[in-house]
Amino acid sequence: MSGKWMIYGANGYTGTLAARYARNHDLAPILAGRDAGRIEPLARELGFEYRAFDLADPQRLAAN
């Protein structure tokens, strides 16, 4: 897969499953969600980049 892509809500149950699937299949998504404290540990464990922002914040959303 080429280009950057993101799993938003990666710290939730389904998002975590998707992130682990991606790691097991040599994919490299950016993990994202509202709470950096919950996203960062998973991103570090899997070796992925991460971002923390709320989808309700249009300025932050545009920056990511």
Side-chain angles (χ1 to χ4, degrees):
M1 176 175 257
S2 62
K4 291 196 176 219
W5 58 286
M6 180 177 289
I7 299 173
Y8 190 87
N11 60 299
Y13 179 76
T14 303
T16 299
L17 289 176
R20 292 187 188 288
Y21 179 91
R23 170 51 48 214
N24 291 335
H25 289 84
D26 296 322
L27 302 172
I30 298 168
L31 304 186
R34 290 178 293 189
D35 185 350
R38 293 179 64 195
I39 294 291
E40 182 182 14
L42 180 62
R44 281 184 189 216
E45 175 190 338
L46 299 176
F48 293 147
E49 292 180 53
Y50 75 96
R51 307 275 193 291
F53 59 94
D54 191 327
L55 292 176
D57 184 346
Q59 290 177 335
R60 286 286 309 232
L61 186 58
N64 288 288

